[in-house]
Amino acid sequence: RYLAPRRGGSTDVSDLSALQAADRFRAELLALEEQAIGRLISAYQLLQKRLQSQIDSLVAELDAMKARGEEVRVYKLIRLDRYKELLQQVEAEVTRYTAIVENEIDQAARVIIDGAGAKAKALVAASLPGNGAIDREIMATWNALHTGAIETMLGFLAADSPLRIRLRTLLGPAVSDQVAAKLVEGIGLGYNPRKVAAAIREATGEGLAWSVQTARTAMLYAEREAARANYAANPQIVETWTWSSAMDDRVCPV
């Protein structure tokens, strides 16, 4: 179920304390994050299925070399066309996949930024003393930032942002290099072809881990910095703020 507030969605937390409201908004962010990551995982599983035939072909060739009594050595591996084709396809497939990662980051971040102003305002209102007339007078001076202004301020959604450039240019080659390293290591250690295949699949999985980490970081950054921008735009109300965090294994100790 899509829990994150959409445009015009309710951010009424008038019956909650500031900490309770923050916990609710955090839960909504995690729900949005889980949906996006679920789609990334599904897309990457399809990518790995497309690579499987290339992996099988390379393993079959290594099997054939062993069946002929030929010792499989690293220098022979790197001369094989199947080896080169696999690395090329890994890089191409992962590079295409980065478009999906970019889209997920873009869509999630825009939802987050779009709701940031209302959430920040609601949290500030929940932090006030509770005197209805005075609270309304204070909140009447709230300066609502335009979504586009926050997007420009954060910068990472721009087509030429460092985040997008790194995704497009580095992820594919990095996964390809990881596969090559695992192959060379496996052959060097004398792994049988089946174990080599398992090592290749493990290496391709690094691309998913890296992309999920990037997407999570971008979403959390958008939530945090969009809130900060709204607080900073209202110095007549907000003098300081406090970060709150759950004490669990998802949280960086810093």
Side-chain angles (χ1 to χ4, degrees), residues 117-156:
K119 285 183 179 181
K121 185 177 181 180
L123 287 172
V124 170
S127 303
L128 295 177
N131 184 316
I134 293 176
D135 289 359
R136 285 193 295 274
E137 185 176 345
I138 291 172
M139 294 310 297
T141 69
W142 181 263
N143 177 30
L145 283 180
H146 189 273
T147 299
I150 300 176
E151 290 180 8
T152 301
M153 192 182 306
L154 299 187
F156 73 95

Side-chain angles (χ1 to χ4, degrees), residues 9 43 55 57 86 92 117 139 183 185-186 188 191 194 202 211 223 230 239:
I55 295 172
S57 295
L86 173 61
M139 294 310 297
L183 269 166
E185 178 186 41
Y191 290 174
R194 303 302 152 189
E202 180 184 348
S211 64
E223 176 85 1
N230 277 278
E239 291 185 345

Side-chain angles (χ1 to χ4, degrees), residues 29-90:
L29 173 62
L30 292 178
L32 174 63
E33 174 197 306
E34 287 171 6
Q35 291 174 21
I37 288 174
R39 289 188 291 270
L40 290 180
I41 291 171
S42 296
Y44 207 86
Q45 287 172 338
L46 292 175
L47 177 158
Q48 289 178 309
K49 285 181 180 178
R50 291 194 295 271
L51 290 173
Q52 191 59 51
S53 62
Q54 288 280 10
I55 295 172
D56 291 343
S57 295
L58 177 59
V59 169
E61 187 156 356
L62 296 177
D63 269 336
M65 291 172 68
K66 278 187 167 290
R68 294 193 300 266
E70 186 176 346
E71 188 176 2
V72 180
R73 305 294 290 272
V74 170
Y75 77 90
K76 293 181 180 178
L77 170 73
I78 62 179
R79 291 177 180 172
L80 295 177
D81 289 339
R82 297 289 187 191
Y83 168 81
K84 297 172 186 175
E85 289 165 4
L86 173 61
L87 296 186
Q88 289 169 357
Q89 188 177 357
V90 168

Side-chain angles (χ1 to χ4, degrees), residues 7 26 119-120 157 171 230 245:
R7 286 181 174 82
R26 182 182 294 114
K119 285 183 179 181
L157 294 179
L171 188 60
N230 277 278
S245 173

